């Protein structure tokens, strides 16, 4: 046994002694026993143990997110108690208990239906109360936008949402909001991380017995009442919808919201309607992943056979802060085509413009440039931010914000974050209005293409098991940047890590291209998953509707070549 082994085993024993969870204690004890029993020839047990203690799960602007399990590199109750203690110390130091808030010292805590979510939420409440703050737990597993709403509605100083959103079943996460109802950004993230790092033994963290109060259903009622305000009382409601919650927590609230708003109750995808932390029918519980929508399309076909045509298929991710939209398409293999997030983003923007709203339209830099043209045509301010709603939600004068990854904020005064439930209501209102006029969402997209040019977007997303491959790809692009992609000349290359006009530094690269068409490519590591993402956009001018098929074919060709060329340039 080596000195390194001795140190590893000592770390593991110390962690084991403090672990409050019998499940992870048993897991770690078994790993430790197997590692200690080996004669040195079988390295697998030591390697598995060492991986758990190779560092600590890092707290950043996405909070915490990682695989469930024992040890500091996993999501577990020990890690969560330390994170909560660090957050509590940060809030106290910032004057949260005496700040002139509606509810000084109140921290609202929500959680989804993933494995250990309820435990992590209760631990967080116990830590907050033990630190002299007040804690209020949402009444049951609920969507992330309900937590974001509750912070502003109750005048809290902060909020915590326990969720891993659309990550695989083995993951969980910890998302932190401050009193404005928006996710944390620098320097708050670094301040909280420093306080977390200062937490020593868990025995030093005061835990209140039965910490905090459990909010009643009146909070959910208040959220639903606010959600209904995004649609006009007199707008059309005749629409047939299929909805899937993808085994998450959004199904019940979506059904309630639609019925209360006067729409026919959506037809649920029965196999995916109830929360299930194992997500048994999908490989990844993300509407964007291949196969995730198959059961929804099958349900729509069955519903059409038994009760007449279905107009829309709507999907939420497991914590219901995202919304996917699919429309009938006779040429698609399943008879349905899921709209890109950028297409839905443009449709919602156009709908809000027609409603006569005022305020800033904001989007992330990886989203389509079409939003800026829509805003300019309506005489509205437009803003670009870094990726993520923690940035979009802070755009000055925000009235509407979206990101291409199916996230839409249509009521920032109510929910200063993406909200898949209010977005679904607004999409349905638009579709019903168009249906009454004998038109469709795709018809409106065609109109926008003629008015502003066809904006075709796509994404190349490479999932890796070795994170060094992502760093190597970014390094390769920086040291040997492409001069042309898809036969188009790179006219501008921005290294976003140095910052750019109005944007803080971030790890990303942006290329502007021109030639037979205009295009843009942005490459960045994902902030929540082990992926390298490449965001692609091609803009093709269109003079009339008859030119659209040719324009789409051209855009598809350029997008396909962009994928190939950027993958080759990054060697991924």
């Amino acid at each position: 046994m080596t000195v390194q082994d001795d140190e590893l085993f000592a770390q593991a024993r110390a962690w084991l002694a403090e672990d409050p969870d019998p499940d992870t204690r048993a897991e770690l004890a078994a790993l430790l026993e197997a590692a200690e029993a080996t004669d040195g020839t079988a390295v697998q047990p030591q390697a598995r143990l060492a991986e758990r203690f190779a560092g600590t799960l890092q707290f950043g602007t996405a909070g915490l997110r990682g695989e469930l399990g024992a040890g500091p590199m996993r999501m577990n109750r020990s890690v969560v108690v330390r994170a909560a203690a660090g957050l509590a110390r940060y809030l106290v130091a910032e004057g949260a208990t005496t700040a002139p808030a509606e509810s000084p010292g109140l921290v609202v805590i929500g959680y989804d239906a993933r494995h250990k979510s309820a435990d992590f939420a209760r631990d967080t409440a116990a830590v907050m109360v033990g630190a002299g703050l007040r804690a209020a737990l949402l009444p049951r597993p609920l969507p992330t936008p309900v937590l974001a709403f509750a912070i502003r509605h109750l005048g809290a100083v902060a909020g915590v949402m326990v969720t891993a959103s659309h990550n695989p079943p083995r993951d969980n996460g910890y998302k932190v909001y401050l009193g404005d109802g928006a996710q944390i950004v620098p320097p708050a993230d670094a301040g909280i991380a420093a306080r977390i790092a200062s937490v020593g033994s868990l025995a030093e963290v005061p835990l209140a017995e039965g910490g905090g109060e459990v909010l009643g259903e009146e909070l959910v009622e208040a959220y639903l009442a606010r959600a209904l305000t995004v649609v006009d009382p007199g707008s059309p409601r005749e629409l047939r919808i299929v909805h899937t919650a993808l085994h998450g927590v959004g199904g019940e609230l979506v059904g309630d919201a639609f019925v209360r708003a006067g729409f026919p109750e959506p037809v649920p995808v029965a196999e995916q309607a109830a929360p299930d932390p194992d997500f048994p029918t999908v490989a990844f519980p993300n509407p964007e992943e291949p196969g995730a929508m198959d059961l929804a399309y099958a349900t729509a076909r069955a519903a059409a056979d038994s009760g007449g045509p279905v107009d829309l298929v709507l999907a939420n991710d497991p914590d219901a802060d995202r919304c996917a939209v699919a429309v009938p398409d006779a040429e698609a293999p399943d008879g349905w085509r899921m709209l890109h997030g950028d297409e839905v983003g443009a449709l919602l923007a156009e709908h809000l413009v027609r409603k006569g709203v005022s305020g800033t339209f904001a989007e992330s830099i990886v989203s389509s440039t079409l939003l800026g043209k829509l805003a300019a045509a309506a005489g509205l301010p437009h803003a670009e931010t870094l990726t993520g709603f923690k940035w979009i939600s802070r755009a000055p004068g925000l009235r509407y914000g979206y990101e291409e990854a199916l996230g839409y904020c249509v009521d920032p005064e109510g929910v200063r974050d993406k909200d898949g439930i209010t977005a679904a209501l607004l999409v349905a209102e638009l579709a019903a209005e168009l249906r009454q006029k004998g038109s469709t969402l795709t018809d409106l997209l065609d109109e926008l293409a003629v008015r502003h040019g066809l904006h075709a977007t796509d994404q190349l997303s490479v999932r890796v098991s070795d994170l060094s491959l992502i760093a190597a790809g970014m390094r390769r692009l920086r040291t040997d940047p492409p001069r042309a992609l898809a036969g188009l000349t790179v006219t501008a290359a921005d290294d976003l890590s140095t910052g750019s006009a109005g944007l803080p530094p971030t790890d990303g690269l942006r290329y502007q291209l021109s030639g037979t068409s205009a295009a843009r490519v942005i490459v960045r590591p994902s902030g929540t998953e082990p992926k390298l993402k490449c965001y692609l956009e091609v803009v093709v001018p269109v003079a009339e509707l008859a030119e659209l098929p040719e324009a789409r074919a051209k855009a598809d060709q350029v997008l396909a070549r962009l994928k190939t060329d950027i993958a080759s340039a990054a060697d991924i």
Side-chain angles (χ1 to χ4, degrees):
M1 193 178 295
T2 66
V3 172
Q4 289 86 351
D5 287 338
D6 283 338
E7 292 174 351
L8 172 62
F9 296 159
Q11 276 185 285
R13 290 191 204 99
W15 187 275
L16 183 62
E18 288 193 334
D19 192 338
D21 189 330
D23 294 334
T24 46
R25 277 204 312 271
E27 176 190 340
L28 183 55
L31 277 173
L32 183 57
E33 181 181 359
E36 289 179 321
T38 183
D39 59 4
T41 59
V43 298
Q44 186 65 18
Q46 287 101 326
R48 291 175 61 205
L49 186 65
E51 194 274 333
R52 307 293 185 96
F53 289 86
T56 58
L57 206 57
Q58 292 300 302
F59 185 93
T61 51
L64 293 169
R65 194 175 292 190
E67 186 176 345
L68 290 162
M73 287 295 290
R74 294 285 191 269
M75 280 295 296
N76 51 65
R77 291 180 63 192
S78 296
V79 165
V80 165
V81 167
R82 283 189 166 83
L87 173 60
R89 291 178 184 183
Y90 173 84
L91 293 173
V92 170
E94 292 292 311
T97 56
T98 57
E102 184 178 332
S103 300
L106 177 64
V107 179
V108 189
I109 303 156
Y111 57 102
D112 64 12
R114 284 178 177 264
H115 293 296
K116 298 293 180 181
S117 285
D119 292 337
F120 295 167
R122 285 191 291 265
D123 285 340
T124 299
V127 170
M128 294 300 158
V129 176
L133 297 158
R134 298 162 52 216
L137 285 157
L138 295 192
R140 52 191 166 90
L142 287 164
T144 293
V146 178
L147 181 278
F149 166 81
I151 297 167
R152 295 173 69 84
H153 180 69
L154 298 174
V157 296
V160 172
M161 182 68 195
V162 181
T163 181
S165 189
H166 55 275
N167 275 38
R170 64 180 181 271
D171 290 358
N172 212 326
Y174 198 82
K175 187 182 293 187
V176 176
Y177 298 74
L178 292 182
D180 59 358
Q183 298 174 46
I184 57 169
V185 294
D189 59 338
I192 296 168
R195 297 286 180 173
I196 293 171
S198 73
V199 176
S201 168
L202 288 189
E204 300 173 5
V205 178
L207 298 173
E209 287 278 335
E213 66 170 311
V214 177
L215 297 167
E217 288 296 318
E218 62 272 12
L219 187 278
V220 181
E221 291 294 320
Y223 168 80
L224 286 169
R226 177 75 197 197
L228 300 190
T229 64
V230 304
V231 293
D232 296 333
S235 60
R237 295 291 191 268
E238 189 176 342
L239 203 66
R240 197 150 185 253
I241 296 168
V242 164
H243 174 262
T244 177
L246 286 182
H247 301 293
V249 294
E252 181 183 337
L253 258 66
V254 168
D256 283 352
F258 271 74
V259 170
R260 295 184 189 200
F263 289 100
E265 184 174 5
V267 178
V269 178
E271 302 92 330
Q272 300 172 335
D276 188 329
D278 294 321
F279 306 104
T281 69
V282 289
F284 289 95
N286 180 350
E288 295 177 295
E289 293 285 348
M293 298 288 285
D294 288 354
L295 278 174
Y297 298 154
T299 301
R301 291 193 296 272
D305 290 341
S306 62
V310 173
D311 299 288
L312 283 180
V313 171
L314 299 175
N316 293 115
D317 64 341
D319 68 327
D321 63 349
R322 300 174 191 235
C323 178
V325 180
V327 295
D329 185 344
E331 297 181 4
D334 293 304
W336 289 85
R337 175 172 78 89
M338 194 169 100
L339 300 180
H340 285 289
D342 285 316
E343 291 176 311
V344 178
L347 288 169
L348 288 174
E350 176 68 10
H351 186 40
L352 289 169
V353 166
R354 293 181 179 189
K355 281 173 167 281
V357 304
S358 60
T360 300
F361 280 21
E363 62 182 323
S364 62
I365 57 171
V366 300
S367 302
S368 173
T369 56
L370 177 56
L371 184 69
K373 296 174 184 176
L374 291 172
L380 296 174
H382 171 253
E384 282 190 322
T385 75
L386 294 184
T387 305
F389 263 84
K390 58 184 175 284
W391 299 108
I392 295 171
S393 64
R394 287 181 164 79
L398 180 67
R399 177 57 184 84
Y400 167 65
Y402 98 93
E403 62 182 359
E404 53 74 42
L406 310 182
Y408 315 96
C409 174
V410 302
D411 177 27
E413 290 306 306
V415 176
R416 196 162 286 272
D417 198 3
K418 54 186 178 291
D419 183 346
I421 298 172
T422 51
L425 284 170
L426 206 59
V427 167
E429 181 184 54
L430 172 59
E433 288 183 357
L434 293 171
R435 186 180 191 272
Q436 189 179 70
K437 298 173 184 176
S439 185
T440 66
L441 295 179
T442 50
D443 291 336
L444 180 53
L445 286 172
D446 289 349
E447 291 178 29
L448 295 179
V450 172
R451 200 186 314 161
H452 300 290
L454 175 67
H455 289 64
T457 60
D458 204 350
Q459 185 182 132
L460 173 65
S461 183
V462 181
R463 184 181 292 272
V464 301
S465 55
D466 180 359
L467 290 176
S468 69
L469 297 175
I470 293 177
M474 294 297 293
R475 185 166 56 251
R476 189 172 292 108
L477 289 171
R478 285 190 168 100
T479 56
D480 187 18
R483 293 182 174 84
L485 295 167
L488 303 175
T489 302
V490 176
T491 55
D494 301 318
D495 187 342
L496 301 177
S497 66
T498 62
S500 58
L503 297 176
T506 188
D507 188 8
L509 299 163
R510 178 171 55 191
Y511 305 105
Q512 303 286 353
L513 303 106
S514 65
T516 55
S517 59
R520 185 197 65 188
V521 175
I522 296 177
V523 185
R524 61 178 285 271
S526 169
T528 57
E529 298 177 90
K531 289 181 176 181
L532 184 65
K533 292 188 171 185
C534 307
Y535 304 85
L536 319 171
E537 180 177 42
V538 177
V539 183
V540 181
V542 180
E544 55 185 355
L545 287 174
E547 295 180 7
L548 271 172
E550 182 180 350
R552 287 199 178 94
K554 178 180 180 180
D556 288 345
Q557 290 173 356
V558 176
L559 288 170
R561 288 190 62 190
L562 284 174
K563 282 187 180 181
T564 300
D565 289 359
I566 195 64
S568 176
D571 193 22
I572 54 174

